[in-house]
Amino acid sequence: VDCLAEMAARDEWMFVDGWPPLSRWFRCVTCHQTFTRALGIEMDRRRWRHHREAPVSSAKYEALAKLAGKLVRHEEFDVAERLYDEARRGVPLDNDTVQQRLILPSEIDRVSALLQVGRFRDALEILSRFRPSLGLCLPKTRAEYYRYMGFTLGGLGRLEEALPFAAEAVELARTSEGPQSFDALDAMDMQAWLFSQVGRVEEAKAALTHILALNTRVFGPDHENTRHTRDTLESMSTRS
């Protein structure tokens, strides 16, 4: 690991078949395979150690978010929380640019990691603190906030409360990322699921039909996302 980390610290980016560059912190320079499991986490630790004392930058917060997110997914919650707290010490929180481009996106990454392990209450606590800062957010971060609020409230069984967040997430993602973007498709899929859970079956089927058409156009008819949407729609049609 020492030689891999030393190479990555010396020259973080490599170019394979053009753009975008790939980080040596998470991919082998020789075989281009992604570092996974224990090696992946250790490389993330080394990357954070490399950027830890650096001035505030997107690279520093990307290193933080990647390591902390992996630690949450491996249920090392206390270590991840200490990382988030450490990163904020000494950061000029009254600087809107720092908040907009670094702090708020890293909070969204933190919520995403919590949702992946089903910690909906913890995610809701962070999102509730997040809301007063929405005016500072870039459009993508604002769209992610509404999407994760929908996921979180839905996961807590508060389905009717989740629906307005889902609708706003769909609209914001379409506007900021494009109607065929992953974020827009993900938000539409969440909205369709919520419709089905509250008995609005026809709206759920209409949403899934639209998602199926987009998935087919973007990913192709045999992609797992397309197959999943098709199976869900067929299952729903059979039940109704």
Side-chain angles (χ1 to χ4, degrees):
V1 178
D2 289 344
C3 59
L4 290 171
E6 183 179 343
M7 183 184 297
R10 187 176 62 246
D11 185 13
E12 290 201 43
W13 302 100
M14 62 181 177
F15 293 83
V16 180
D17 298 327
W19 191 264
L22 302 173
S23 174
R24 295 176 191 263
W25 289 109
F26 58 82
R27 188 164 297 190
C28 175
V29 67
T30 303
C31 67
H32 306 157
Q33 291 189 61
T34 300
F35 302 133
T36 59
R37 304 181 186 244
L39 176 57
I41 291 180
E42 183 57 29
M43 286 297 287
D44 285 335
R45 291 185 195 277
R46 300 296 183 96
R47 185 186 185 192
W48 172 240
R49 198 177 302 162
H50 174 66
H51 287 287
R52 190 174 189 172
E53 303 304 324
V56 172
S57 68
S58 57
K60 178 173 182 174
Y61 276 86
E62 184 184 339
L64 160 76
K66 190 168 178 61
L67 174 57
K70 276 192 181 174
L71 291 172
V72 169
R73 286 188 284 277
H74 284 78
E75 300 191 0
E76 296 185 41
F77 304 116
D78 292 340
V79 181
E81 286 300 313
R82 286 198 297 272
L83 265 178
Y84 282 117
D85 291 340
E86 176 184 343
R88 281 155 181 71
R89 287 198 291 270
V91 171
L93 298 180
D94 59 342
N95 184 312
D96 286 355
T97 300
V98 171
Q99 285 277 7
Q100 183 186 67
R101 298 190 175 276
L102 301 178
I103 302 295
L104 298 176
S106 77
E107 287 288 85
I108 284 292
D109 288 339
R110 186 180 184 184
V111 168
S112 175
L114 288 168
L115 290 177
Q116 288 181 48
V117 293
R119 294 188 58 166
F120 297 107
R121 295 190 184 281
D122 292 332
L124 183 60
E125 181 181 340
I126 294 171
L127 289 166
S128 298
R129 295 200 307 263
F130 190 99
R131 184 156 194 169
S133 302
L134 271 180
L136 290 175
C137 290
L138 296 170
K140 177 178 173 60
T141 307
R142 193 177 305 120
E144 288 175 331
Y145 164 83
Y146 281 97
R147 183 157 55 99
Y148 289 143
M149 275 296 293
F151 278 128
T152 301
L153 292 171
L156 290 170
R158 296 161 60 176
L159 303 172
E160 292 289 352
E161 291 179 68
L163 278 167
F165 287 100
E168 187 69 18
V170 170
E171 186 60 32
L172 286 171
R174 283 173 173 165
T175 302
S176 65
E177 300 296 307
Q180 298 182 22
S181 66
F182 172 80
D183 286 350
L185 289 167
D186 204 27
M188 285 187 278
D189 193 63
M190 172 186 63
Q191 187 181 44
W193 178 79
L194 288 169
F195 281 149
S196 72
Q197 296 302 299
V198 298
R200 295 165 61 174
V201 178
E202 292 306 315
E203 289 171 275
K205 288 164 65 176
L208 286 169
T209 300
H210 182 59
I211 295 167
L212 179 59
L214 289 175
N215 277 341
T216 303
R217 188 182 311 151
V218 174
F219 302 114
D222 298 321
H223 190 275
E224 60 180 338
N225 289 4
T226 309
R227 292 200 308 270
H228 171 73
T229 304
R230 187 187 301 117
D231 291 345
T232 304
L233 182 57
E234 289 176 356
S235 174
M236 190 175 296
S237 298
T238 301
R239 289 199 306 271
S240 60

